[in-house]
Tab-separated table of all heavy atoms in Angstrom:
chain	number	residue	atom	x	y	z
A	145	ALA	N	355.313	39.447	185.389
A	145	ALA	CA	356.181	38.392	184.845
A	145	ALA	C	357.227	37.979	185.879
A	145	ALA	O	357.549	36.800	186.042
A	145	ALA	CB	356.876	38.892	183.576
A	146	ARG	N	357.749	38.948	186.594
A	146	ARG	CA	358.745	38.686	187.640
A	146	ARG	C	358.129	37.875	188.771
A	146	ARG	O	358.718	36.913	189.279
A	146	ARG	CB	359.278	40.019	188.164
A	146	ARG	CG	360.362	39.895	189.190
A	146	ARG	CD	361.026	41.235	189.409
A	146	ARG	NE	361.839	41.601	188.271
A	146	ARG	CZ	363.137	41.251	188.121
A	146	ARG	NH1	363.746	40.543	189.063
A	146	ARG	NH2	363.810	41.608	187.065
A	147	CYS	N	356.939	38.278	189.174
A	147	CYS	CA	356.241	37.578	190.251
A	147	CYS	C	356.007	36.111	189.880
A	147	CYS	O	356.306	35.202	190.664
A	147	CYS	CB	354.905	38.284	190.510
A	147	CYS	SG	353.834	37.413	191.651
A	148	TRP	N	355.514	35.834	188.683
A	148	TRP	CA	355.295	34.429	188.259
A	148	TRP	C	356.580	33.624	188.336
A	148	TRP	O	356.588	32.487	188.802
A	148	TRP	CB	354.796	34.384	186.811
A	148	TRP	CG	353.406	34.879	186.574
A	148	TRP	CD1	352.443	35.176	187.506
A	148	TRP	CD2	352.817	35.119	185.291
A	148	TRP	NE1	351.303	35.607	186.865
A	148	TRP	CE2	351.503	35.573	185.525
A	148	TRP	CE3	353.277	35.003	183.973
A	148	TRP	CZ2	350.629	35.896	184.478
A	148	TRP	CZ3	352.406	35.323	182.938
A	148	TRP	CH2	351.101	35.771	183.188
A	149	GLN	N	357.683	34.220	187.878
A	149	GLN	CA	358.952	33.484	187.866
A	149	GLN	C	359.453	33.233	189.286
A	149	GLN	O	359.968	32.154	189.587
A	149	GLN	CB	360.002	34.262	187.058
A	149	GLN	CG	359.645	34.362	185.584
A	149	GLN	CD	360.621	35.245	184.823
A	149	GLN	OE1	361.710	34.827	184.479
A	149	GLN	NE2	360.231	36.493	184.559
A	150	HIS	N	359.279	34.219	190.146
A	150	HIS	CA	359.673	34.069	191.553
A	150	HIS	C	358.872	32.937	192.205
A	150	HIS	O	359.432	32.083	192.894
A	150	HIS	CB	359.428	35.411	192.266
A	150	HIS	CG	359.652	35.394	193.754
A	150	HIS	ND1	360.577	36.199	194.375
A	150	HIS	CD2	359.055	34.677	194.745
A	150	HIS	CE1	360.543	35.962	195.686
A	150	HIS	NE2	359.622	35.048	195.934
A	151	GLU	N	357.556	32.935	191.972
A	151	GLU	CA	356.704	31.916	192.606
A	151	GLU	C	356.988	30.536	192.019
A	151	GLU	O	356.988	29.541	192.742
A	151	GLU	CB	355.221	32.273	192.456
A	151	GLU	CG	354.807	33.596	193.094
A	151	GLU	CD	355.293	33.788	194.512
A	151	GLU	OE1	355.400	32.794	195.255
A	151	GLU	OE2	355.601	34.938	194.889
A	152	LEU	N	357.234	30.467	190.724
A	152	LEU	CA	357.545	29.172	190.114
A	152	LEU	C	358.834	28.605	190.720
A	152	LEU	O	358.930	27.407	190.982
A	152	LEU	CB	357.661	29.258	188.602
A	152	LEU	CG	357.707	27.842	188.028
A	152	LEU	CD1	356.318	27.370	187.654
A	152	LEU	CD2	358.651	27.704	186.902
A	153	ASP	N	359.804	29.462	190.968
A	153	ASP	CA	361.040	29.022	191.625
A	153	ASP	C	360.740	28.299	192.939
A	153	ASP	O	361.380	27.299	193.273
A	153	ASP	CB	361.944	30.232	191.929
A	153	ASP	CG	362.848	30.603	190.758
A	153	ASP	OD1	362.931	29.843	189.778
A	153	ASP	OD2	363.476	31.677	190.842
A	154	HIS	N	359.772	28.830	193.700
A	154	HIS	CA	359.430	28.209	194.990
A	154	HIS	C	359.011	26.744	194.803
A	154	HIS	O	359.253	25.918	195.674
A	154	HIS	CB	358.269	28.959	195.658
A	154	HIS	CG	358.693	30.153	196.458
A	154	HIS	ND1	359.533	30.057	197.534
A	154	HIS	CD2	358.376	31.464	196.349
A	154	HIS	CE1	359.717	31.271	198.053
A	154	HIS	NE2	359.030	32.145	197.344
A	155	LEU	N	358.372	26.434	193.685
A	155	LEU	CA	357.904	25.063	193.458
A	155	LEU	C	359.067	24.118	193.189
A	155	LEU	O	358.916	22.898	193.267
A	155	LEU	CB	356.894	25.018	192.307
A	155	LEU	CG	355.724	26.011	192.410
A	155	LEU	CD1	354.727	25.762	191.290
A	155	LEU	CD2	355.036	25.927	193.766
A	156	ASP	N	360.221	24.689	192.866
A	156	ASP	CA	361.424	23.885	192.631
A	156	ASP	C	362.430	24.027	193.769
A	156	ASP	O	363.601	23.655	193.624
A	156	ASP	CB	362.063	24.286	191.289
A	156	ASP	CG	361.150	23.929	190.113
A	156	ASP	OD1	360.511	22.865	190.180
A	156	ASP	OD2	361.077	24.716	189.156
A	157	GLY	N	361.991	24.604	194.877
A	157	GLY	CA	362.878	24.743	196.032
A	157	GLY	C	363.924	25.829	195.879
A	157	GLY	O	364.931	25.827	196.589
A	158	VAL	N	363.700	26.752	194.949
A	158	VAL	CA	364.675	27.818	194.681
A	158	VAL	C	364.192	29.125	195.322
A	158	VAL	O	363.013	29.486	195.203
A	158	VAL	CB	364.869	28.002	193.157
A	158	VAL	CG1	365.770	29.192	192.855
A	158	VAL	CG2	365.446	26.723	192.542
A	159	LEU	N	365.116	29.812	196.001
A	159	LEU	CA	364.784	31.061	196.695
A	159	LEU	C	365.610	32.212	196.123
A	159	LEU	O	366.628	31.985	195.466
A	159	LEU	CB	365.085	30.915	198.197
A	159	LEU	CG	364.311	29.794	198.907
A	159	LEU	CD1	364.852	29.596	200.324
A	159	LEU	CD2	362.820	30.095	198.948
A	160	ILE	N	365.178	33.446	196.424
A	160	ILE	CA	365.912	34.598	195.880
A	160	ILE	C	367.361	34.634	196.368
A	160	ILE	O	368.226	35.133	195.663
A	160	ILE	CB	365.218	35.959	196.173
A	160	ILE	CG1	364.910	36.125	197.653
A	160	ILE	CG2	363.969	36.107	195.324
A	160	ILE	CD1	364.412	37.542	198.015
A	161	ILE	N	367.623	34.070	197.542
A	161	ILE	CA	369.012	34.077	198.021
A	161	ILE	C	369.917	33.227	197.132
A	161	ILE	O	371.131	33.374	197.161
A	161	ILE	CB	369.131	33.629	199.506
A	161	ILE	CG1	368.396	32.310	199.732
A	161	ILE	CG2	368.609	34.712	200.428
A	161	ILE	CD1	368.551	31.768	201.156
Side-chain angles (χ1 to χ4, degrees):
R146 183 167 288 272
C147 172
W148 290 349
Q149 294 174 79
H150 174 120
E151 299 312 327
L152 191 93
D153 273 350
H154 275 299
L155 308 186
D156 294 322
V158 174
L159 300 171
I160 53 172
I161 51 176

